[in-house]
Coordinates of all heavy atoms in Angstrom, one line a residue:
M1 N 139.3 203.4 109.2 CA 138.9 203.5 107.8 C 137.9 202.5 107.5 O 138.0 201.4 107.9 CB 140.1 203.2 106.9 CG 141.1 204.3 106.7 SD 142.3 203.9 105.5 CE 143.1 205.5 105.5
D2 N 136.9 202.8 106.8 CA 135.9 201.8 106.3 C 136.5 201.1 105.2 O 137.5 201.6 104.5 CB 134.6 202.4 106.0 CG 134.6 203.4 104.8 OD1 134.9 202.9 103.6 OD2 134.4 204.6 104.9
V3 N 136.1 199.9 104.9 CA 136.7 199.0 104.0 C 136.7 199.5 102.6 O 137.8 199.5 101.9 CB 136.0 197.6 104.0 CG1 136.5 196.7 102.9 CG2 136.1 197.0 105.4
T4 N 135.6 200.1 102.2 CA 135.6 200.7 100.7 C 136.6 201.8 100.6 O 137.4 201.9 99.6 CB 134.2 201.1 100.4 OG1 133.3 200.1 100.6 CG2 134.1 201.6 99.0
S5 N 136.6 202.8 101.5 CA 137.5 203.9 101.5 C 138.9 203.4 101.6 O 139.8 203.9 100.9 CB 137.1 204.8 102.6 OG 138.0 205.9 102.6
H6 N 139.2 202.5 102.4 CA 140.5 201.9 102.7 C 141.0 201.3 101.4 O 142.2 201.6 101.0 CB 140.3 200.8 103.7 CG 141.6 200.3 104.3 ND1 142.3 200.8 105.3 CD2 142.3 199.1 103.9 CE1 143.3 200.0 105.6 NE2 143.3 199.0 104.8
R7 N 140.2 200.5 100.7 CA 140.6 199.8 99.5 C 140.8 200.8 98.4 O 141.8 200.7 97.6 CB 139.6 198.8 99.1 CG 139.9 197.9 98.0 CD 138.9 196.8 97.7 NE 138.4 196.3 98.9 CZ 137.0 196.2 99.2 NH1 136.2 196.5 98.2 NH2 136.6 195.6 100.3
D8 N 139.9 201.8 98.3 CA 140.0 202.8 97.2 C 141.3 203.7 97.4 O 142.0 203.9 96.4 CB 138.8 203.7 97.2 CG 138.7 204.6 96.1 OD1 139.2 204.3 95.0 OD2 138.1 205.8 96.2
L9 N 141.6 204.1 98.6 CA 142.8 204.9 98.8 C 144.1 204.1 98.5 O 145.0 204.5 97.9 CB 142.8 205.4 100.2 CG 144.1 206.2 100.6 CD1 144.2 207.5 99.7 CD2 144.0 206.7 102.1
A10 N 144.1 202.8 98.9 CA 145.2 201.9 98.7 C 145.4 201.7 97.2 O 146.6 201.8 96.7 CB 145.0 200.5 99.3
E11 N 144.4 201.5 96.4 CA 144.5 201.4 94.9 C 145.0 202.6 94.3 O 145.9 202.6 93.4 CB 143.2 201.0 94.3 CG 142.8 199.5 94.6 CD 143.8 198.5 94.2 OE1 144.4 198.6 93.1 OE2 144.1 197.6 95.0
R12 N 144.6 203.8 94.7 CA 145.0 205.0 94.2 C 146.5 205.3 94.5 O 147.3 205.8 93.7 CB 144.2 206.2 94.6 CG 142.8 206.1 94.0 CD 141.8 207.2 94.6 NE 140.5 206.9 94.2 CZ 139.9 207.2 93.1 NH1 140.6 207.8 92.1 NH2 138.7 207.0 92.9
L13 N 146.9 204.9 95.7 CA 148.3 205.1 96.1 C 149.2 204.2 95.3 O 150.3 204.5 94.9 CB 148.5 204.8 97.6 CG 147.9 205.9 98.5 CD1 147.8 205.4 99.9 CD2 148.7 207.2 98.4
K14 N 148.7 202.9 95.0 CA 149.5 202.0 94.2 C 149.7 202.5 92.8 O 150.8 202.2 92.3 CB 148.8 200.6 94.2 CG 148.9 199.8 95.4 CD 148.2 198.5 95.2 CE 148.0 197.7 96.6 NZ 147.2 196.5 96.4
S15 N 148.8 203.3 92.3 CA 148.9 203.8 91.0 C 150.1 204.8 90.9 O 150.6 205.1 89.8 CB 147.6 204.4 90.4 OG 147.4 205.6 91.1
Y16 N 150.5 205.3 92.0 CA 151.7 206.2 92.1 C 153.0 205.4 92.3 O 154.0 206.0 92.4 CB 151.5 207.2 93.2 CG 150.6 208.4 92.9 CD1 149.3 208.4 93.4 CD2 151.0 209.5 92.2 CE1 148.4 209.4 93.1 CE2 150.2 210.5 92.0 CZ 148.9 210.5 92.4 OH 148.1 211.6 92.2
G17 N 152.9 204.1 92.3 CA 154.1 203.4 92.5 C 154.5 203.2 94.0 O 155.6 202.7 94.3
L18 N 153.6 203.5 94.9 CA 153.9 203.4 96.3 C 153.6 202.0 96.8 O 152.7 201.3 96.3 CB 153.1 204.4 97.1 CG 153.4 205.9 96.8 CD1 152.4 206.8 97.4 CD2 154.9 206.2 97.3
S19 N 154.3 201.5 97.8 CA 154.1 200.2 98.4 C 153.1 200.4 99.5 O 153.2 201.3 100.3 CB 155.4 199.7 98.9 OG 155.3 198.6 99.7
I20 N 152.1 199.5 99.5 CA 151.0 199.6 100.5 C 151.0 198.3 101.3 O 151.0 197.2 100.8 CB 149.6 199.7 99.9 CG1 149.7 200.9 98.8 CG2 148.6 199.9 100.8 CD1 150.0 202.2 99.4
M21 N 150.8 198.4 102.6 CA 150.5 197.3 103.5 C 149.4 197.7 104.4 O 149.4 198.7 105.1 CB 151.7 196.9 104.4 CG 151.5 195.7 105.2 SD 152.9 195.1 106.1 CE 153.0 196.3 107.4
A22 N 148.3 196.9 104.3 CA 147.1 197.2 105.2 C 147.2 196.3 106.4 O 147.5 195.1 106.4 CB 145.8 196.9 104.4
K23 N 146.9 197.0 107.5 CA 146.9 196.2 108.8 C 145.8 196.9 109.7 O 145.9 198.0 110.1 CB 148.3 196.4 109.5 CG 148.4 195.5 110.7 CD 149.9 195.5 111.2 CE 150.1 194.4 112.3 NZ 151.4 194.5 112.7
R24 N 144.8 196.1 109.9 CA 143.6 196.5 110.6 C 143.1 197.8 109.9 O 142.8 197.8 108.8 CB 143.8 196.7 112.0 CG 143.9 195.4 112.8 CD 144.1 195.6 114.2 NE 145.4 195.1 114.4 CZ 146.4 195.2 115.3 NH1 146.3 195.8 116.1 NH2 147.5 194.7 115.3
A25 N 142.9 198.8 110.7 CA 142.3 200.1 110.1 C 143.4 201.0 109.7 O 143.1 202.2 109.3 CB 141.5 200.8 111.2
H26 N 144.6 200.6 109.5 CA 145.7 201.5 109.1 C 146.3 201.0 107.8 O 146.3 199.9 107.4 CB 146.9 201.4 110.1 CG 146.5 201.9 111.5 ND1 147.4 202.5 112.3 CD2 145.3 202.0 112.2 CE1 146.8 202.9 113.5 NE2 145.5 202.5 113.4
L27 N 146.8 202.0 107.1 CA 147.6 201.7 105.9 C 149.0 202.1 106.1 O 149.3 203.2 106.7 CB 147.1 202.5 104.7 CG 145.8 202.1 104.0 CD1 145.4 203.1 102.9 CD2 145.8 200.7 103.5
Y28 N 150.0 201.3 105.8 CA 151.4 201.7 105.8 C 151.8 201.9 104.4 O 151.8 201.0 103.6 CB 152.2 200.6 106.5 CG 151.8 200.4 107.9 CD1 150.8 199.4 108.3 CD2 152.3 201.1 108.9 CE1 150.4 199.3 109.6 CE2 152.0 200.9 110.3 CZ 151.0 200.0 110.6 OH 150.6 199.8 111.9
V29 N 152.2 203.1 104.1 CA 152.5 203.5 102.7 C 154.0 203.9 102.6 O 154.5 204.6 103.5 CB 151.7 204.8 102.3 CG1 151.9 205.2 100.9 CG2 150.2 204.6 102.6
A30 N 154.7 203.4 101.6 CA 156.1 203.7 101.5 C 156.5 203.8 100.0 O 155.9 203.3 99.1 CB 156.9 202.5 102.1
N31 N 157.5 204.7 99.9 CA 158.1 204.8 98.6 C 159.1 203.6 98.4 O 159.9 203.4 99.2 CB 159.0 206.2 98.5 CG 159.5 206.4 97.2 OD1 160.0 205.5 96.5 ND2 159.5 207.6 96.8
A32 N 158.9 202.9 97.3 CA 159.7 201.7 97.1 C 161.2 201.9 97.0 O 162.0 201.0 97.2 CB 159.2 200.9 95.9
L33 N 161.5 203.2 96.7 CA 163.0 203.5 96.5 C 163.7 203.9 97.7 O 164.9 203.9 97.8 CB 163.1 204.7 95.5 CG 162.5 204.4 94.1 CD1 162.6 205.6 93.2 CD2 163.2 203.2 93.4
S34 N 162.9 204.1 98.8 CA 163.6 204.5 100.1 C 162.7 204.1 101.3 O 161.6 204.7 101.4 CB 163.8 206.0 100.1 OG 164.3 206.4 101.4
A35 N 163.2 203.3 102.1 CA 162.4 202.9 103.3 C 162.2 204.0 104.3 O 161.3 204.0 105.1 CB 163.1 201.8 104.0
N36 N 163.0 205.1 104.1 CA 162.8 206.3 105.0 C 161.6 207.1 104.6 O 161.2 207.9 105.4 CB 164.1 207.1 105.0 CG 165.2 206.4 105.6 OD1 165.1 205.7 106.5 ND2 166.4 206.7 105.1
L37 N 161.1 206.9 103.4 CA 159.9 207.7 103.0 C 158.7 206.8 103.1 O 158.3 206.1 102.2 CB 160.1 208.1 101.5 CG 161.2 209.1 101.2 CD1 161.4 209.3 99.7 CD2 161.0 210.4 101.9
A38 N 158.1 206.9 104.3 CA 157.0 206.0 104.7 C 156.1 206.7 105.7 O 156.6 207.6 106.4 CB 157.5 204.7 105.2
E39 N 154.8 206.4 105.7 CA 153.9 207.0 106.6 C 152.9 205.9 107.0 O 152.6 205.0 106.2 CB 153.1 208.1 106.0 CG 153.8 209.4 105.9 CD 154.1 210.1 107.3 OE1 153.5 209.7 108.3 OE2 154.8 211.0 107.3
E40 N 152.3 206.0 108.2 CA 151.2 205.2 108.7 C 150.0 206.1 108.6 O 150.0 207.2 109.1 CB 151.5 204.8 110.1 CG 150.3 204.0 110.7 CD 150.6 203.7 112.2 OE1 151.7 204.0 112.7 OE2 149.7 203.0 112.7
I41 N 149.0 205.6 107.9 CA 147.8 206.5 107.6 C 146.6 205.8 108.3 O 146.4 204.6 108.3 CB 147.5 206.5 106.1 CG1 148.7 206.9 105.3 CG2 146.3 207.4 105.8 CD1 149.3 208.3 105.7
F42 N 145.7 206.6 108.9 CA 144.5 206.2 109.6 C 143.5 207.3 109.5 O 143.8 208.4 109.2 CB 144.8 205.7 111.0 CG 145.3 206.7 111.9 CD1 144.5 207.5 112.7 CD2 146.7 207.0 112.0 CE1 145.0 208.4 113.6 CE2 147.2 207.9 112.8 CZ 146.4 208.7 113.6
R43 N 142.2 206.9 109.8 CA 141.1 207.9 109.9 C 141.0 208.4 111.3 O 141.0 207.6 112.2 CB 139.8 207.2 109.4 CG 139.8 206.8 108.0 CD 139.5 207.9 107.1 NE 139.4 207.4 105.7 CZ 139.5 208.1 104.6 NH1 139.8 209.4 104.7 NH2 139.5 207.6 103.5
Q44 N 140.7 209.7 111.3 CA 140.4 210.3 112.6 C 139.4 211.3 112.4 O 139.7 212.4 111.8 CB 141.7 210.9 113.2 CG 141.6 211.5 114.6 CD 142.9 212.0 115.2 OE1 144.0 211.8 114.6 NE2 142.8 212.7 116.3
G45 N 138.2 211.1 112.8 CA 137.1 212.0 112.7 C 136.8 212.4 111.2 O 136.5 213.5 110.9
G46 N 136.8 211.4 110.4 CA 136.5 211.6 108.9 C 137.7 212.2 108.2 O 137.6 212.5 107.0
R47 N 138.9 212.4 108.8 CA 140.0 212.9 108.1 C 141.1 211.8 108.0 O 141.2 210.9 108.9 CB 140.7 214.1 109.0 CG 139.7 215.2 109.3 CD 139.3 216.0 108.2 NE 140.4 216.8 107.7 CZ 140.3 217.5 106.6 NH1 139.2 217.5 105.9 NH2 141.3 218.2 106.2
C48 N 141.8 211.9 107.0 CA 143.0 211.0 106.8 C 144.2 211.6 107.4 O 144.6 212.7 107.0 CB 143.2 210.7 105.3 SG 144.4 209.5 104.9
T49 N 144.7 210.9 108.4 CA 145.8 211.5 109.2 C 147.0 210.6 109.3 O 146.8 209.4 109.3 CB 145.2 211.7 110.7 OG1 144.0 212.5 110.6 CG2 146.2 212.5 111.5
T50 N 148.2 211.2 109.3 CA 149.4 210.4 109.5 C 149.6 210.1 111.0 O 149.0 210.8 111.8 CB 150.6 211.1 108.9 OG1 150.9 212.3 109.7 CG2 150.4 211.5 107.5
A51 N 150.5 209.2 111.3 CA 150.8 208.9 112.7 C 151.4 210.1 113.4 O 151.4 210.3 114.6 CB 151.8 207.7 112.7
W52 N 152.0 211.1 112.6 CA 152.5 212.3 113.2 C 151.5 213.4 113.4 O 151.8 214.4 113.9 CB 153.7 212.8 112.2 CG 154.8 211.9 112.2 CD1 155.1 211.0 111.3 CD2 155.9 211.9 113.2 NE1 156.3 210.3 111.6 CE2 156.8 210.9 112.7 CE3 156.2 212.6 114.3 CZ2 158.0 210.6 113.4 CZ3 157.4 212.3 115.0 CH2 158.3 211.3 114.5
G53 N 150.2 213.1 113.0 CA 149.2 214.0 113.2 C 148.9 215.0 112.0 O 148.1 215.9 112.1
Y54 N 149.6 214.8 110.9 CA 149.4 215.6 109.7 C 148.1 215.2 109.0 O 148.0 214.0 108.7 CB 150.5 215.6 108.8 CG 151.8 216.1 109.3 CD1 152.8 215.3 109.7 CD2 152.0 217.5 109.5 CE1 154.0 215.8 110.2 CE2 153.1 218.0 110.0 CZ 154.2 217.2 110.4 OH 155.3 217.7 110.9
E55 N 147.2 216.1 108.8 CA 146.0 215.7 108.0 C 146.4 215.8 106.5 O 146.9 216.8 106.0 CB 144.9 216.7 108.2 CG 144.3 216.6 109.7 CD 143.2 217.5 109.9 OE1 142.7 218.3 109.0 OE2 142.7 217.6 111.0
R56 N 146.0 214.7 105.8 CA 146.3 214.6 104.3 C 145.1 214.5 103.5 O 145.2 214.5 102.2 CB 147.2 213.4 104.1 CG 148.6 213.6 104.7 CD 149.3 214.6 103.9 NE 150.5 215.0 104.6 CZ 150.9 216.3 104.8 NH1 150.1 217.2 104.4 NH2 152.0 216.6 105.5
G57 N 143.9 214.5 104.0 CA 142.7 214.5 103.2 C 141.5 214.1 104.1 O 141.6 214.1 105.3
E58 N 140.4 213.9 103.4 CA 139.2 213.6 104.1 C 138.4 212.5 103.4 O 138.7 212.2 102.2 CB 138.3 214.8 104.2 CG 137.9 215.4 102.9 CD 137.2 216.7 103.0 OE1 137.2 217.4 104.1 OE2 136.5 217.1 102.0
R59 N 137.6 211.9 104.1 CA 136.8 210.7 103.6 C 136.0 211.2 102.4 O 135.4 212.3 102.5 CB 135.9 210.2 104.7 CG 135.1 209.1 104.3 CD 134.2 208.7 105.4 NE 133.7 207.3 105.3 CZ 132.9 206.7 106.1 NH1 132.5 207.3 107.2 NH2 132.6 205.5 105.8
G60 N 136.0 210.5 101.4 CA 135.3 210.8 100.2 C 136.1 211.5 99.1 O 135.7 211.7 98.0
N61 N 137.3 211.9 99.5 CA 138.2 212.5 98.5 C 139.6 211.7 98.5 O 140.6 212.2 98.7 CB 138.5 214.0 98.9 CG 139.4 214.7 97.8 OD1 139.5 214.2 96.7 ND2 139.9 215.9 98.2
E62 N 139.4 210.4 98.1 CA 140.6 209.5 98.1 C 141.5 209.9 97.0 O 142.7 209.8 97.2 CB 140.1 208.1 98.0 CG 139.6 207.5 99.2 CD 138.2 208.0 99.7 OE1 137.5 208.4 98.8 OE2 137.9 207.9 100.9
T63 N 141.0 210.5 95.9 CA 141.9 210.9 94.8 C 142.9 212.0 95.3 O 144.1 212.0 95.1 CB 141.1 211.4 93.6 OG1 140.3 210.3 93.1 CG2 142.0 211.9 92.5
G64 N 142.3 213.0 95.9 CA 143.1 214.2 96.4 C 144.0 213.7 97.6 O 145.2 214.1 97.6
T65 N 143.6 212.8 98.4 CA 144.4 212.3 99.5 C 145.6 211.5 99.0 O 146.7 211.7 99.4 CB 143.5 211.4 100.4 OG1 142.4 212.2 100.9 CG2 144.3 210.9 101.6
A66 N 145.3 210.7 98.0 CA 146.4 209.9 97.4 C 147.4 210.8 96.7 O 148.6 210.6 96.8 CB 145.8 208.9 96.3
H67 N 147.0 211.9 96.0 CA 147.9 212.8 95.4 C 148.8 213.5 96.4 O 150.0 213.6 96.2 CB 147.0 213.8 94.6 CG 147.9 214.9 93.9 ND1 148.6 214.5 92.8 CD2 148.2 216.1 94.2 CE1 149.3 215.6 92.4 NE2 149.0 216.6 93.2
R68 N 148.2 214.0 97.5 CA 149.0 214.6 98.5 C 150.0 213.7 99.2 O 151.1 214.1 99.5 CB 148.0 215.3 99.6 CG 147.4 216.6 99.1 CD 146.6 217.2 100.2 NE 145.3 216.5 100.5 CZ 144.2 216.6 99.7 NH1 144.2 217.3 98.6 NH2 143.1 215.9 100.0
L69 N 149.5 212.5 99.5 CA 150.5 211.5 100.1 C 151.6 211.1 99.1 O 152.7 211.0 99.5 CB 149.7 210.2 100.5 CG 148.9 210.4 101.8 CD1 147.9 209.3 101.9 CD2 149.8 210.5 103.0
A70 N 151.3 211.0 97.9 CA 152.3 210.6 96.9 C 153.3 211.7 96.8 O 154.5 211.5 96.7 CB 151.7 210.4 95.5
Y71 N 152.9 213.0 96.8 CA 153.8 214.1 96.8 C 154.6 214.1 98.0 O 155.9 214.3 98.0 CB 153.0 215.4 96.6 CG 153.9 216.6 96.6 CD1 154.6 217.0 95.5 CD2 154.0 217.4 97.8 CE1 155.4 218.2 95.5 CE2 154.8 218.5 97.8 CZ 155.5 218.9 96.7 OH 156.3 220.0 96.7
W72 N 154.0 213.9 99.2 CA 154.7 213.9 100.5 C 155.8 212.8 100.5 O 156.8 213.0 101.1 CB 153.6 213.7 101.5 CG 154.1 213.7 103.0 CD1 154.3 212.6 103.7 CD2 154.3 214.8 103.8 NE1 154.7 213.0 105.0 CE2 154.7 214.4 105.0 CE3 154.3 216.2 103.5 CZ2 155.0 215.2 106.1 CZ3 154.6 217.0 104.6 CH2 155.0 216.6 105.8
L73 N 155.5 211.7 99.9 CA 156.4 210.6 100.0 C 157.4 210.5 98.8 O 158.1 209.5 98.6 CB 155.7 209.3 100.1 CG 154.9 209.1 101.4 CD1 154.0 207.9 101.3 CD2 155.8 209.1 102.6
G74 N 157.4 211.5 97.9 CA 158.3 211.6 96.9 C 158.1 210.7 95.7 O 159.0 210.2 95.1
A75 N 156.8 210.4 95.5 CA 156.5 209.4 94.4 C 156.9 210.1 93.0 O 156.9 211.3 92.9 CB 155.0 209.2 94.4
P76 N 157.3 209.3 92.1 CA 157.8 209.8 90.8 C 156.7 210.7 90.1 O 155.6 210.4 90.1 CB 158.0 208.6 90.0 CG 158.1 207.5 90.9 CD 157.3 207.8 92.1
P77 N 157.1 211.9 89.7 CA 156.2 212.7 88.9 C 155.8 212.1 87.6 O 156.6 211.3 87.1 CB 157.0 214.0 88.7 CG 158.4 213.7 88.8 CD 158.5 212.5 89.7
G78 N 154.7 212.4 87.1 CA 154.2 211.8 85.9 C 153.3 210.6 86.0 O 152.7 210.2 85.2
V79 N 153.3 210.0 87.2 CA 152.5 208.9 87.5 C 151.2 209.5 88.2 O 151.4 210.3 89.1 CB 153.2 207.9 88.5 CG1 152.3 206.8 88.8 CG2 154.5 207.4 87.8
T80 N 150.1 209.1 87.8 CA 148.9 209.7 88.3 C 147.9 208.7 88.8 O 147.9 207.6 88.3 CB 148.2 210.7 87.3 OG1 147.8 209.9 86.2 CG2 149.0 211.8 86.9
A81 N 147.0 209.1 89.7 CA 146.0 208.2 90.2 C 144.8 208.3 89.4 O 144.5 209.2 88.7 CB 145.7 208.6 91.6

């Protein structure tokens, strides 16, 4: 992830109440209510991908990517990016 995109996605995910930890080019995203609801996110060919290989968005669409990840991780409804 480039630094700007990395920071932007992290901020948008935080607005959903998700916990974020940045480590090198990866983001570790977790639902604060359950340690089991977590994903490792990284860029692969311009796509935002989980460690399991699921594509969750693309570079330049951090808002949509954050929304999909928040839904995937069970972030509380009504909180928006």
Side-chain angles (χ1 to χ4, degrees):
M1 285 186 171
D2 65 68
V3 175
T4 304
S5 174
H6 188 87
R7 191 175 318 131
D8 190 30
L9 180 57
E11 289 303 315
R12 291 174 193 278
L13 289 166
K14 284 180 189 176
S15 73
Y16 281 98
L18 296 168
S19 173
I20 310 297
M21 184 176 74
K23 191 170 185 179
R24 285 182 245 160
H26 297 209
L27 286 178
Y28 297 90
V29 185
N31 184 319
L33 300 176
S34 174
N36 293 326
L37 295 172
E39 283 290 350
E40 178 181 359
I41 308 299
F42 59 96
R43 295 276 185 202
Q44 183 174 352
R47 308 291 292 170
C48 185
T49 309
T50 69
W52 293 96
Y54 295 107
E55 291 183 4
R56 291 290 166 229
E58 60 188 18
R59 184 181 197 180
N61 185 13
E62 283 71 26
T63 300
T65 301
H67 181 73
R68 284 185 287 283
L69 283 166
Y71 178 80
W72 182 258
L73 295 172
V79 180
T80 59

